[in-house]
Amino acid sequence: MFTTHQTASQHIGSRTHQADATALDDNPGTGHRAWVLLDGIGDREHTAAWAPTTALALARTAARLGDPRAAIQQIRPVLHADRATLNHPKDWPADAAAIVAVLTPTGRLHIAWAGDCRAYLAEQGRVQLLTTDHNKATQQRREGRTPEPDAHDHLTSSLCFLTGAVDTVTMHFGPRPGLRRLLLASDGAYLPHEHTGTLPPPAPDGSHRHRDGRAVPAPVLAGAPEAVARRITDLAVRADPTGADNATALVVDLDPTR
């Protein structure tokens, strides 16, 4: 069993609207706890209004099912059906990159994502990247090419992309003691830290699987969770104050109970 503590920080950056959203849900029937982070695509009012309610619906589905991949797949057709009743521009309906984490009563942490939101895990002062971006930058790295400057902005999957990839990773912590810290982040939060080396980059092939199992020192994730989440977003926006994206960081502390 684990006790958990979570906190989120958001910064609007240089955008007009905050289109990122986070949500948490506990399901007393299943014992699952789910966290969601959505990075809404575009800087539009209708996406900013859509993201919080969609994040909560996804969190509730994930906590009920205990399977974040199944939750994304189950909610996709519902969101498509809802588009017919929403007053969204037909050429730009609301969509988002999405990441979902579910903690089970047995200590398994399941993570699923569609798009380029990321998960990092910090333990014993070191952090590793757990996810692989769904975007053209990843495709170009897999081809042995240096990503083009805007390749990261072109997603190859998203929450509402019915046939888009949904990848998963599962961590089983077991009984060993020690605090684990999970960071879920939008690209506006993590990219500036990747560029400065304070968060680890993808592997050369674009995946999160470095051959050396890379976990790097993580001073940016040290301290009280509220301070960490705020540090992640504030420093990200400060790196490019006139061109900063929405930045959202959700920090979850996982502490095994004895």
Side-chain angles (χ1 to χ4, degrees):
M1 295 291 291
F2 284 78
T3 58
T4 63
H5 176 78
Q6 56 281 321
T7 187
S9 175
Q10 291 189 294
H11 200 301
I12 197 170
S14 63
R15 299 295 184 95
T16 303
H17 303 97
Q18 175 55 268
D20 294 352
T22 63
L24 159 71
D25 190 65
D26 284 304
N27 189 302
T30 64
H32 301 136
R33 173 168 282 195
W35 299 269
V36 167
L37 189 150
L38 299 186
D39 179 357
I41 298 172
D43 186 15
R44 291 167 172 80
E45 183 178 4
H46 67 274
T47 303
W50 169 89
T53 56
T54 303
L56 182 56
L58 183 55
R60 287 173 173 168
T61 303
R64 175 172 53 83
L65 297 177
D67 182 338
R69 184 170 190 252
I72 291 174
Q73 292 174 327
Q74 186 174 111
I75 205 170
R76 273 177 164 171
V78 176
L79 295 176
H80 267 266
D82 285 347
R83 282 178 168 180
T85 64
L86 296 173
N87 186 26
H88 290 183
K90 291 184 178 180
D91 60 341
W92 202 284
D95 198 359
I99 191 163
V100 186
V102 174
L103 181 67
T104 72
T106 59
R108 290 185 182 273
L109 181 68
H110 303 292
I111 300 172
W113 67 97
D116 63 353
C117 294
R118 288 185 185 173
Y120 300 83
L121 184 69
E123 188 174 5
Q124 297 180 338
R126 302 182 73 82
V127 61
Q128 61 178 316
L129 176 62
L130 300 180
T131 54
T132 300
D133 301 338
H134 295 143
N135 56 28
K136 286 189 176 180
T138 297
Q139 289 183 340
Q140 291 171 0
R141 288 190 179 100
R142 286 173 177 165
E143 296 166 356
R145 301 159 55 197
T146 299
E148 298 168 357
D150 63 346
H152 186 90
D153 296 328
H154 294 275
L155 298 185
T156 57
S157 184
S158 64
L159 181 59
C160 295
F161 184 6
L162 284 175
T163 59
V166 181
D167 284 336
T168 62
V169 65
T170 294
M171 311 292 291
H172 186 207
F173 298 125
R176 73 180 187 273
L179 178 71
R180 288 89 172 177
R181 175 163 285 173
L182 177 69
L183 169 65
L184 305 182
S186 65
D187 64 342
Y190 68 72
L191 273 179
H193 291 279
E194 177 185 316
H195 294 158
T196 59
T198 53
L199 286 175
D205 66 354
S207 76
H208 63 280
R209 297 181 179 87
H210 288 268
R211 289 182 179 180
D212 58 3
R214 181 179 301 180
V216 303
V220 74
L221 294 180
E226 293 80 7
V228 168
R230 190 165 55 250
R231 182 187 307 141
I232 292 288
T233 56
D234 287 354
L235 291 178
V237 171
R238 199 177 303 167
D240 184 13
T242 61
D245 193 0
N246 293 161
T248 298
L250 175 58
V251 176
V252 182
D253 281 351
L254 308 169
D255 195 5
T257 56
R258 298 182 180 180

